[in-house]
Amino acid sequence: MRTIDRRFSDWARTYEDDGLSHLLGRLGQQAVTSLRLTRADRFIDVGCGSGYFSRRFTGAGLVVTGLDPDEGMLDYARTQGNGIEYLGGDVLALPFDDRAFDHCAAVTSLCFVAGPVLALREMLRVARRGVVLGRLNRRSLLY
């Protein structure tokens, strides 16, 4: 594992509590309200990391699958409960059938992908009703 990847995995245990949780919570609420959600909609959180947003989507009544390439983050996410299925995978080749989910989200993750156009195509492929993106920019505190 590359050093940067290892640091990201290690960060899973602390980044929700390092003063950013208020900002992250606002981003999650914006993602939830930007879609026309129906309880029990199938929802995939691409680049779910620690599952922070996945848990918020579940709280909105969605059936959530979280996907991330980082096993350390996924290990942490799985300890947080809520019945969310967390899977390892790559947004550039999502391991799902076409239109497998009602909605797809990438909150603060797409900006870290080497091929964002291909990633977006994949997200559109697996989503029936909508895609929501929460992007960071170079001036963001999280970038």
Side-chain angles (χ1 to χ4, degrees), residues 117-136:
V117 173
L118 178 56
L120 186 54
R121 281 188 191 130
E122 277 292 280
M123 292 171 64
L124 289 166
R125 180 183 66 77
V126 301
R128 279 191 291 271
R129 295 180 43 210
V131 172
V132 64
L133 303 175
R135 295 214 51 233
L136 299 175

Side-chain angles (χ1 to χ4, degrees), residues 3 8-9 13 15-16 32 36 44-47 56 60-61 63-64 77 84 88 91 98 100 114 119-120 130 140:
T3 302
F8 189 68
S9 290
R13 292 181 293 278
Y15 91 109
E16 290 180 13
V32 167
R36 291 187 177 105
I44 182 163
D45 181 10
V46 174
R56 270 91 197 135
V63 177
V64 177
I84 298 166
V91 67
D98 294 355
L120 186 54
S140 171

Side-chain angles (χ1 to χ4, degrees), residues 6 12 18 23 26 30-32 34 38-39 43 50-51 59-60 65 79 81 93 95-96 99 102 104 109 111 117 132:
R6 190 172 303 110
D18 68 1
L23 174 61
R26 285 187 15 221
Q30 288 173 352
V32 167
S34 69
T38 304
R39 290 186 75 68
F43 195 95
S50 70
T65 299
T79 69
F96 306 105
R99 301 171 55 87
D102 295 297
C104 181
S109 61
C111 42
V117 173
V132 64

